[in-house]
Amino acid sequence: MDKFWQSLILTFCVALGVNLGGSLVGALGAVITQRPPLKTMLELSGELKIWALVAALGGTFGVIKVFEAGVFGRQFHDLAKQLLVVCSAFLGAHLGYWIILSLGAER
Amino acid sequence: MRKIISPLLLGILAGAIAVSLFHASTMEQLYWEKEKLRVELFETTERLQKIESLWEEHQEGDIRSVSIQLNDDLNAFTALALRQALTEISSGLVGEPVENVDYELILALFHQRKLSVEEKDYLITVNWAFIAREAVINLTAVPAGE
């Protein structure tokens, strides 16, 4: 598999995992501390969306540097690739949020 | 050793998450009921304190209790918190002689008042108020800015 596709899938899975894992284990924490588990889980999932994105992208300035190089260095191919990686991370985080939301809504 | 402990811990964690998810709705319901009972206890304690002080003073014709009727489309947690805040505000009325109650004051206390709950502001509107020994105040709460 192409390295780009690998990175795309990895980013998606990391973002999904951060959101799902954070919310589910957070709900467990809510149970231990006697707080409402579903409410806490839904709140956490919403809050973790952006952090899942950051964690999946590496939390460094690498992405921003690629954007800078893409815009000012006219390397539009790299810029498009990086945008796809960001989109993939966002989709992963949002899918996690959606799963948690449906899990909470059904109950 | 590590090969045994790590899957075991992972299993415990997965099991705990599964159990907490399975019982989440029941626990949520219990939490909600506990909060509701807490507010009811608060209301009853306030009323009891006022009635006790009334009893000591042997005064007749005073307001014995204030019942807050809240019309809202808000979630249960927000409604409960608002109800508690409104009960706190209205608790001053208990013990006041009915004939001496200033209606304008009641209106000023609640009408168009902004209350903050969970970092959000809510606007309270008085629909009607019935002032007797068992006073009833009907209010509407909407998120401020709507």
Side-chain angles (χ1 to χ4, degrees), chain A residues 25-41 43, chain B residues 20 23-24 26-36 38 77:
Chain A
V25 180
L28 186 65
V31 170
I32 295 166
T33 54
Q34 296 185 343
R35 291 185 61 198
L38 288 179
K39 186 174 181 264
T40 311
M41 190 170 73
E43 278 174 5
Chain B
S20 75
H23 291 291
T26 316
M27 289 168 87
E28 192 97 354
Q29 181 72 24
L30 285 173
Y31 178 82
W32 156 243
E33 279 172 14
K34 196 182 100 182
E35 284 295 299
K36 204 173 153 186
R38 197 177 57 80
F77 292 99

Side-chain angles (χ1 to χ4, degrees), chain B:
Chain B
M1 189 68 178
R2 208 181 280 179
K3 276 186 179 176
I4 300 168
I5 292 175
S6 52
L8 190 74
L9 282 177
L10 210 61
I12 291 170
L13 192 65
I17 289 170
V19 169
S20 75
L21 272 180
F22 188 73
H23 291 291
S25 54
T26 316
M27 289 168 87
E28 192 97 354
Q29 181 72 24
L30 285 173
Y31 178 82
W32 156 243
E33 279 172 14
K34 196 182 100 182
E35 284 295 299
K36 204 173 153 186
L37 286 171
R38 197 177 57 80
V39 172
E40 276 178 22
L41 179 70
F42 174 77
E43 285 176 6
T44 313
T45 314
E46 288 275 319
R47 204 159 55 226
L48 185 70
Q49 280 174 355
K50 288 287 176 181
I51 288 171
E52 275 176 356
S53 61
L54 256 182
W55 182 254
E56 282 168 10
E57 291 165 14
H58 294 288
Q59 287 178 344
E60 292 294 326
D62 292 351
I63 296 175
R64 290 281 169 97
S65 70
V66 181
S67 169
I68 299 286
Q69 291 182 351
L70 191 61
N71 308 316
D72 59 77
D73 293 324
L74 310 168
N75 70 54
F77 292 99
T78 312
L80 206 62
L82 274 176
R83 203 180 154 79
Q84 186 171 359
L86 290 165
T87 306
E88 269 187 74
I89 297 168
S90 69
S91 65
L93 288 171
V94 177
E96 290 289 317
V98 175
E99 62 270 19
N100 291 354
V101 170
D102 185 356
Y103 296 92
E104 295 289 331
L105 182 71
I106 292 173
L107 202 67
L109 266 176
F110 296 103
H111 197 59
Q112 299 299 311
R113 184 169 185 153
K114 270 187 187 172
L115 290 176
S116 290
V117 168
E118 290 182 337
E119 294 170 8
K120 279 183 187 171
D121 287 337
Y122 294 91
L123 190 69
I124 307 297
T125 313
V126 177
N127 300 322
W128 50 263
F130 176 70
I131 305 300
R133 288 181 74 185
E134 310 274 328
V136 183
I137 304 173
N138 190 286
L139 307 163
T140 300
V142 287
E146 274 188 11

Side-chain angles (χ1 to χ4, degrees), chain A residues 11-96:
Chain A
T11 312
F12 177 85
C13 290
V14 168
L16 178 68
V18 167
N19 201 320
L20 274 182
S23 310
L24 290 174
V25 180
L28 186 65
V31 170
I32 295 166
T33 54
Q34 296 185 343
R35 291 185 61 198
L38 288 179
K39 186 174 181 264
T40 311
M41 190 170 73
L42 293 176
E43 278 174 5
L44 278 176
S45 186
E47 285 165 20
L48 278 173
K49 233 160 96 169
I50 200 77
W51 289 109
L53 200 81
V54 174
L57 294 174
T60 61
F61 287 98
V63 180
I64 298 162
K65 274 184 181 171
V66 172
F67 279 146
E68 189 205 5
V71 175
F72 295 113
R74 297 188 177 182
Q75 296 165 355
F76 294 114
H77 188 247
D78 287 344
L79 183 69
K81 271 184 172 178
Q82 209 58 43
L83 273 174
L84 277 174
V85 172
V86 172
C87 279
S88 149
F90 177 76
L91 280 175
H94 194 74
L95 179 67

